[in-house]
Amino acid sequence: MRVSRTQAAENRETVINVASRLFRERGFDGIGLKDLMKGAGLTQGAFYKQFASKEDLAAQASRRALESAFTRWSAAIAAKPEDPLGAVMAFYLSMGHREKKMDGCPIVALGADAARQGSDVKASFEAGIKAHLEVLGRLIAETKDSEAKGKALAVLSLMVGAVTLSRAVNDPDLAQAFLDAAAKQIREVVASPERER
């Protein structure tokens, strides 16, 4: 049966959305095309009509996952405009976020995998990371761009590292300790004046 262009476009979006979640849960190499397509409710044959390769899908799914993460940051900021950085930290450095691997931060879930992928996947991650850094720079609200940029780099590194480490351990108290330590350090980084180099 022939699929209409509209249905084909909807199927493609479904595959990208499902892949963005399944890749975060299992990694790029942790799931095959057959299971990805099954998760989207389609056959494996439909994949080749929509994507040039699994890497093509990985790049598009990464872009979608990073856009989704950016949307969650925006929602947290909008919900607490009087303390936007605190809102992002409260959402990101939480046990709830730690537990939501399929819907959590793709930088945490796939960062190490992305480093081993091709240039298209890396380009998707780079664009998403730069968008996150831009938001953090604005939230830090320093008077000098170089100070805000440096602090944004440190804050994102602390947040990603803390969630990564919290997911790597079984002990919930240790997991929480990583998240709490990062939150404390972020407050200190943001509050401290930039040191002369």
Side-chain angles (χ1 to χ4, degrees):
M1 181 167 87
R2 190 153 170 84
V3 176
S4 71
R5 285 186 183 183
T6 302
Q7 186 61 53
E10 288 174 10
N11 290 348
R12 179 181 171 80
E13 290 302 307
T14 298
V15 172
I16 293 170
N17 288 333
V18 167
S20 80
R21 297 183 77 226
L22 290 175
F23 283 147
R24 280 180 274 177
E25 180 185 48
R26 301 182 194 174
F28 293 122
D29 296 328
I31 187 164
L33 292 179
K34 181 179 177 184
D35 290 330
L36 275 170
M37 296 305 286
K38 183 178 177 183
L42 299 167
T43 65
Q44 188 173 350
F47 174 85
Y48 297 102
K49 294 175 185 170
Q50 300 286 344
F51 304 97
S53 63
K54 186 176 178 185
E55 184 176 338
D56 176 31
L57 173 60
Q60 293 183 51
S62 296
R63 192 173 306 109
R64 181 68 45 85
L66 285 152
E67 289 167 356
S68 173
F70 192 81
T71 299
R72 285 192 302 281
W73 278 36
S74 297
I77 292 165
K80 196 170 181 185
E82 70 281 1
D83 183 16
L85 181 59
V88 168
M89 287 172 47
F91 149 71
Y92 196 94
L93 296 173
S94 69
M95 291 297 278
H97 181 229
R98 173 193 185 256
E99 299 302 321
K100 293 183 180 177
K101 292 180 178 104
M102 282 181 90
D103 295 312
C105 178
I107 302 167
V108 172
L110 295 169
D113 279 358
R116 292 184 287 272
Q117 299 298 310
S119 62
D120 289 344
V121 172
K122 288 180 182 180
S124 293
F125 269 82
E126 185 175 327
I129 289 167
K130 285 180 176 178
H132 282 75
L133 289 170
E134 184 179 313
V135 169
L136 285 171
R138 284 196 315 264
L139 297 181
I140 292 168
E142 290 290 334
T143 56
K144 294 181 182 175
D145 287 344
S146 62
E147 289 180 10
K149 183 178 180 182
K151 287 184 179 186
L153 289 165
V155 168
L156 185 60
S157 298
L158 282 164
M159 288 175 32
V160 169
V163 176
T164 300
L165 291 170
S166 75
R167 287 182 178 177
V169 299
N170 290 321
D171 180 354
D173 293 333
L174 181 57
Q176 186 66 58
F178 281 124
L179 301 174
D180 293 344
K184 181 178 184 238
Q185 291 301 310
I186 289 167
R187 285 187 206 94
E188 290 179 14
V189 164
V190 171
S192 70
E194 189 77 8
R195 291 192 174 89
E196 293 286 331
R197 292 197 168 99

